[in-house]
Amino acid sequence: MSGDPRKNAAQWFYGKLFREEPLRPRPQTPKEKLPPLLEAARSLENIPGNPWQSREAVFLKQAKLLENYEDEYAFSGTVVYYFPTYQSLSDRELRGYFAWRTRLRRGKIEKTCRTFAYLYIYELLHCVGVPTPEAGYEALLAFRRDYAPLDEFVLTYLNKWMTDFVVYYDLPPALLADSPQVRWDEAITRLENAGSLSPEAVLEAVEALAPGWMSRSRFCRDNREDYGRVLAGLLQGMARHYAGRTQKPLGEQLFGRLQWEPVRLFGSAVFANPRKTRDLECSVDERFRYRCENGLWSLLRHPRIEGGIRQLERLEKSVDGCLREALGDKHPIKYDPLPKWQTKILQEEIKKLLDEKEAAQKAKITIDYSQLDRIRREAALTRDKLTVEEELEELPEAPEVPETPDTPLSPPEYRLLQSLLYDRPTDWVRAEGYLLSVLVDGINEKLYDTFCDTVVQDSPAVIEDYIDDLKEMVAP
């Protein structure tokens, strides 16, 4: 034995414990044979360790080769790859994708893994499976409409890619009229023209740009008209202030000056740039514009979007808090104070609102219901005089009606009740220009507090239960 303990340990290990044994071969599952077209597509792939062509270029070559391929393969399982291509998939997964695409093209919409969904979108971005770019855009629209309800995650990129699709393939800009970017630009334009718009139009612009606070606030929802009036007034005042002091419109003050910035079309997608883009410009409106020069794309936009959103939400919350205080809401909120000049505008707008509310309250028409009987009687008298004027001229002069002691009734009402109680004729009612129904209503209304019931029926006749009590009130 050597004097070196490490050497002695090594000799003991190799002499006593270590034994050479032949390696056992691993059991191998027989490889499933691919259909000839898929085999041909596999032959286009890069050899491991020798990537002589980009993965995007390989994907486009394979996609064109497999453009009309169909499969009936039964596949189950979850496939997860980021920025997938056909080369990313195993043979089973590849056949599973084309089986799903076959059913999709035949109109059977099935939720699948996002890897398969994005592969299908990548194909359409290259106009694979469609005859023209216009048809490609329609196919993207259909996929968004039919598949997004099953998995909204695809919208994370699909909406942006559809905008890029219109620009890249030089499709009519009108296709983008309802895109998020166009709606955003229209909202900023509204802010800059706030002084000439209605409060509701200004409020809709703010909701499009910074909907966070208003969507959460109960007070804003319940008092939308008042809240919109004050917020619009504040923004209109701010627009005047900026125009006079800084010569900048409100939209530019919040979101920055419009400027050209570099942009990459179809960002986060596997895209091979099949058209080798030429110089062009796409303009939807004066704000929303793309430009390509020497293969490089740029976009005209406001750079400081997040800062403008935060500023708008701060204004929204301040208006909410101040208006709650002014209207005496039971649930006040804390809010950051605005600069003095903005606070002054806000308080002036709230004062205008309160003054208008007060004036409107004073101008409300009040109805004196105690005069309804007189109004009915006079209207009936006028009408009957017009229809029976000749008859009235021939009737004898009406006797004087006695006073109505200890009753709220008018003399004609007292006389009618007297006639009904003591079986006297009631011809005098029409002869003197009264309406029988009006007098009956007056009697019932004025005696309701005493009897808590109707005392005269429409026939007319006194209700039997109240005859004795009424005779004590009305003399013969």
Side-chain angles (χ1 to χ4, degrees), residues 337-361:
L338 298 176
K340 289 184 178 179
W341 67 273
Q342 293 180 7
T343 301
K344 181 180 178 182
I345 296 174
L346 176 55
Q347 295 299 336
E348 289 174 353
E349 293 299 323
I350 292 177
K351 186 176 184 303
K352 286 181 189 177
L353 176 68
L354 296 180
D355 289 347
E356 289 182 9
K357 283 182 172 291
E358 184 179 355
Q361 188 68 26

Side-chain angles (χ1 to χ4, degrees), residues 433-475:
Y434 298 110
L435 280 179
L436 188 61
S437 60
V438 172
L439 294 180
V440 170
D441 288 344
I443 294 170
N444 287 327
E445 288 174 5
K446 292 177 181 179
L447 296 183
Y448 186 85
D449 290 340
T450 303
F451 293 90
C452 295
D453 196 1
T454 298
V455 296
V456 179
Q457 297 174 336
D458 292 337
S459 32
V462 178
I463 294 176
E464 186 176 355
D465 292 344
Y466 304 122
I467 290 177
D468 293 338
D469 294 330
L470 287 170
K471 284 185 175 181
E472 292 179 5
M473 297 173 58
V474 179

Side-chain angles (χ1 to χ4, degrees), residues 282-300:
C282 175
S283 299
V284 179
D285 53 39
E286 61 180 11
R287 295 180 186 274
F288 187 26
R289 296 166 62 189
Y290 279 88
R291 184 167 62 194
C292 183
E293 295 178 337
N294 300 319
L296 299 177
W297 287 93
S298 55
L299 170 64
L300 185 66

